[in-house]
Amino acid sequence: MDIRDLASQLGLSIGTVSRALNDRKDVSAATRQRVLEAAVRLGYTPNQSGRTLRSGRTGTIGFMLTLEHDSAVHGDPFFMALLEGVQTGLAEHGLDLVVLLARKGEDGLTFLRRHVARGTVDAWLLSATRYEDSRIDFLVDRRIPFVALGRSATARPFSWIDLDFENVVAEAVALFAAAGHRRIGLVAPPATINHSHIIVDGYRKALDNAGIAFDPALVHNGETDESDGEVTARQLMALNDRPSALLLMGETAPVGAYRALRGLGLEPGREISVIGLRDSPTCRALSPDLTCFTLDLGELGLALAKGIVQNLASHSSDNVLHTQRRWPMELRPGRSHRRSAV
């Protein structure tokens, strides 16, 4: 059914139906309600191409993922659960979500420029924010609405929601320190990724608060996936003064670390203490159960949707609203952080 059929069914002009569907003020509330109810009942769907040409809007929000660092491409459900929350939140405002995947090795700014030039979407959600992220400056300069899942070192104001890595690291190190650990290994993301800096800075502060000296030999920056977790655990355990505890700030790094430790004859939760980042389905199968942190990904997705809707609306004025929020994570104690003796 097209708009002509809908107008014919209602006995109204095409112009009246069009104005009602687009919430124009020159249509009475009763007529607007009648048109909307009929559209739902009769299964009318507007021609999106025509609406885009008339309004300059696509009615879609783009979520940019990368093959380098986003766990979605490694089979982790983090982004699947997150995207479900985003889509639910956008649907309440008549917006759709499209996931746009930058191929491996492709420059993120080049990818973004291409889609902005095409007018692919109305606004953006960015992930895997870098310490110096040219995508952010590009979007700010062009007054294109966006919200980043993660912070950046840029001093320019922009909208972001990030996991509260500061509190995660502080709680983990405090838990280790309270058990008597003085050598705590850290597996962090690549230094180009912004939250790697947040994690390492938080680690140093937490050690200082516990009266523990910082040793750079105990810090490893890598992909924090399963393979990296295994390799890094072996490297750290090969140190002359090896750590008695490991903090693994990656989605699947604990799986590899458990395998490496057992290969060295070290049992997690007995000979060495381990804390992971998140209670993911992959890590849930580990034994002993992993001490880690939890968050509601659906609620985080809804918050991102709310932030982008607000940002999109405020861009029509000179007073752009910026969402800036650290998303809380709650400690879920398992048995892996325990140790028979330190």
Side-chain angles (χ1 to χ4, degrees):
M1 170 172 283
D2 62 20
I3 195 169
R4 294 178 179 82
D5 297 325
L6 180 60
S8 177
Q9 288 280 344
L10 291 166
L12 297 171
S13 70
I14 294 173
T16 298
V17 171
S18 176
R19 291 195 298 275
L21 291 171
N22 288 286
D23 201 24
R24 295 282 292 274
K25 294 180 180 180
D26 55 350
V27 178
S28 70
T31 299
R32 182 181 301 108
Q33 186 64 27
R34 181 182 166 212
V35 171
L36 293 176
E37 289 176 355
V40 172
R41 185 176 70 255
L42 298 172
Y44 167 77
T45 302
N47 184 304
Q48 187 58 49
S49 296
R51 295 189 72 176
T52 299
L53 287 172
R54 290 191 300 273
S55 66
R57 293 285 184 91
T58 66
T60 57
I61 306 300
F63 201 124
M64 181 180 174
L65 293 179
T66 67
L67 281 167
E68 263 79 11
H69 304 296
D70 287 330
S71 58
V73 298
H74 299 293
D76 187 83
F78 178 94
F79 277 98
M80 295 307 296
L82 180 75
L83 293 173
E84 183 179 1
V86 174
Q87 179 64 87
T88 299
L90 294 179
E92 295 177 2
H93 299 274
L95 297 169
D96 289 313
L97 177 68
V98 294
V99 176
L100 297 165
L101 182 63
R103 64 181 180 272
K104 191 170 185 178
E106 182 175 16
D107 176 66
L109 179 58
T110 300
F111 174 88
L112 196 60
R113 283 181 183 275
R114 182 169 70 252
H115 283 282
V116 167
R118 291 174 179 173
T120 307
V121 298
D122 296 330
W124 289 87
L125 293 168
L126 302 181
S127 62
T129 51
R130 292 177 170 267
Y131 188 68
E132 295 179 354
D133 202 319
S134 55
R135 299 175 302 169
I136 291 172
D137 289 325
F138 173 76
L139 293 174
V140 170
D141 286 341
R142 284 152 185 80
R143 292 181 55 83
I144 297 172
F146 75 99
V147 176
L149 178 61
R151 286 162 275 178
S152 177
T154 180
R156 304 176 74 178
F158 68 97
S159 293
W160 56 263
I161 300 178
D162 200 6
L163 301 185
D164 190 355
F165 294 108
E166 291 92 335
N167 190 61
V168 165
V169 174
E171 280 199 64
V173 172
L175 191 61
F176 283 145
H181 293 280
R182 310 298 292 179
R183 300 283 291 171
I184 302 169
L186 173 67
V187 179
T192 55
I193 301 299
N194 186 64
H195 72 268
S196 178
H197 294 264
I198 295 171
I199 288 168
V200 175
D201 288 346
Y203 168 78
R204 297 187 69 149
K205 290 176 183 176
L207 290 178
D208 187 58
N209 289 338
I212 301 173
F214 171 76
D215 182 353
L218 293 176
V219 178
H220 171 85
N221 291 99
E223 293 302 318
T224 63
D225 57 11
E226 183 177 339
S227 175
D228 185 61
E230 182 172 5
V231 171
T232 303
R234 288 186 179 277
Q235 291 174 346
L236 290 173
M237 290 301 109
L239 293 173
N240 290 330
D241 189 6
R242 70 188 189 188
S244 61
L246 294 177
L247 175 56
L248 307 165
M249 298 297 287
E251 293 291 324
T252 57
V255 178
Y258 267 49
R259 185 163 56 243
L261 293 172
R262 287 193 169 118
L264 296 170
L266 299 170
E267 182 62 22
R270 188 182 303 165
E271 283 86 19
I272 186 164
S273 297
V274 178
I275 295 179
L277 172 61
R278 191 174 69 86
D279 179 26
S280 69
T282 303
C283 292
R284 227 168 273 158
L286 292 174
S287 179
D289 53 321
L290 182 69
T291 297
C292 55
F293 295 80
T294 65
L295 75 159
D296 189 325
L297 289 171
E299 287 298 319
L300 175 56
L302 288 172
L304 284 168
K306 181 179 179 181
I308 197 64
V309 168
Q310 289 178 341
N311 199 284
L312 190 60
S314 68
H315 262 75
S316 61
S317 68
D318 293 329
N319 185 26
V320 178
L321 298 177
H322 293 297
T323 298
Q324 295 187 343
R325 182 177 180 186
R326 281 161 50 180
W327 195 263
M329 298 180 72
E330 184 177 347
L331 180 68
R332 193 210 71 172
R335 291 176 296 144
S336 68
H337 71 282
R338 302 173 185 174
R339 189 166 181 256
S340 300
V342 177

